[in-house]
Amino acid sequence: PGDTDSSSLPVVALEYRFTNTSRQRVSAVFSFNTKNFLPLDGRDKRGVRATPGGFTLWSAGAAAEPQREAALTVTVDDPDVKVNHAWFRGGWWDPLTMAWRDVEQGAAYDRPPITEGDPSPGATLFVPIDLAPGASRTIAVRIAWFAGDTTIRIGTDPPPAPPATAPDRYYRPWYAGRFTGVDQVTAFWRDQFRDLRARSEQFAACFYDTTLPPEVVEAVS
C-alpha cells in the first residue's frame, strides 16, 4: 500500500515447499516446464535463450511491426540448477511428451539454446533436491516479463474529440520507462526479491488479522 511502483512491477514468484515426512533420505528433482506461449501469430519470430539461473522466452514481431516484442524469464537462486533450453522439435504432442518423460524419469541436464533451424517449443529448469528425514526445502521460481510496445487491445477506442488526434497504435506500459528490457527487470527482481516478499507478506498478515467475517474479507481482497 502506498508504493505504486513496486505494486506495478511485471514480476511474480511461485514458491514450492517440499518436506520429507519419511524416515529415509529422499533425493528428487524439481522441474519447471513451459511452452513458449509468447508468439501472437505465425509471422512472429521466437525462441529460447539462456539467462543466469534459468531461461528467457522471447518473441519478436514481423518486419511490418518491429516494435512489437516480448520476453519472459524464469529463474531460481540455486547453484545446482540445470536448464534444457532446447525442447524436442516435433509435431503434435511430441515436445510435451518428451518433457513429461523427463519429469517421469527424474532427469536433470543442461542443453544449450538452439542456434539454427526451427526454434525450441519451450524450456525446462531442473533443481536437484536432497532431503534428510523431516527436512524441508523451498524453491522460489521468479518470473519477470517485458513487453515495451504492444498492439494488444480489447474493444475499440472512442473517437477523439477535436483537436485531438487518433490514439497511438502501440501501447507503452509504465515499466518500459523504468527498465530497458527483460534482463534489467530480472536483475531487479533477483536483488529485491527478499525485501518485496517481506513487505508483501507483512501486508497480507495485517490484512487477514481481523475479526470480520470471512465473506467480507474475501469480498474486499
Side-chain angles (χ1 to χ4, degrees), residues 38-47 58-63 65 68 119:
L38 292 177
L40 301 178
D41 58 50
R43 299 174 299 163
D44 290 341
K45 300 177 182 179
R46 64 175 181 171
W58 64 269
S59 173
E65 297 179 305
R68 194 183 65 187

Side-chain angles (χ1 to χ4, degrees), residues 22 145 148 169 172 212:
S22 74
W145 59 92
R169 182 183 180 192
R172 186 168 180 80
L212 290 172

Side-chain angles (χ1 to χ4, degrees), residues 65-150:
E65 297 179 305
Q67 296 95 331
R68 194 183 65 187
E69 297 181 356
L72 178 141
T73 62
V74 179
T75 59
V76 296
D77 272 338
D78 193 293
D80 298 323
V81 63
K82 298 182 182 300
V83 183
N84 175 11
H85 299 89
W87 271 14
F88 180 77
R89 292 175 288 179
W92 297 90
W93 298 97
D94 290 351
L96 293 177
T97 299
M98 299 296 286
W100 178 250
R101 182 176 298 177
D102 284 343
V103 174
E104 185 181 34
Q105 297 177 352
Y109 58 89
D110 288 308
R111 182 174 289 163
I114 293 172
T115 58
E116 59 183 24
D118 293 335
S120 173
T124 301
L125 62 77
F126 308 95
V127 179
I129 56 178
D130 188 77
L131 295 175
S136 296
R137 169 91 178 271
T138 298
I139 297 176
V141 177
R142 298 188 306 265
I143 301 174
W145 59 92
F146 189 95
D149 291 286
T150 177

Side-chain angles (χ1 to χ4, degrees), residues 136-214:
S136 296
R137 169 91 178 271
T138 298
I139 297 176
V141 177
R142 298 188 306 265
I143 301 174
W145 59 92
F146 189 95
D149 291 286
T150 177
T151 56
I152 297 177
R153 45 202 324 122
I154 302 298
T156 57
D157 294 310
T165 58
D168 192 347
R169 182 183 180 192
Y170 293 94
Y171 170 71
R172 186 168 180 80
W174 162 83
Y175 62 77
R178 178 173 177 180
F179 302 98
T180 59
V182 72
D183 292 338
Q184 195 175 34
V185 178
T186 302
F188 181 88
W189 190 209
R190 177 198 63 214
D191 296 341
Q192 302 299 321
F193 173 72
R194 293 185 182 277
D195 175 63
L196 290 171
R197 185 192 187 285
R199 288 196 282 148
S200 298
E201 189 173 37
Q202 182 182 29
F203 167 69
C206 178
F207 184 89
Y208 288 103
D209 183 15
T210 177
T211 57
L212 290 172

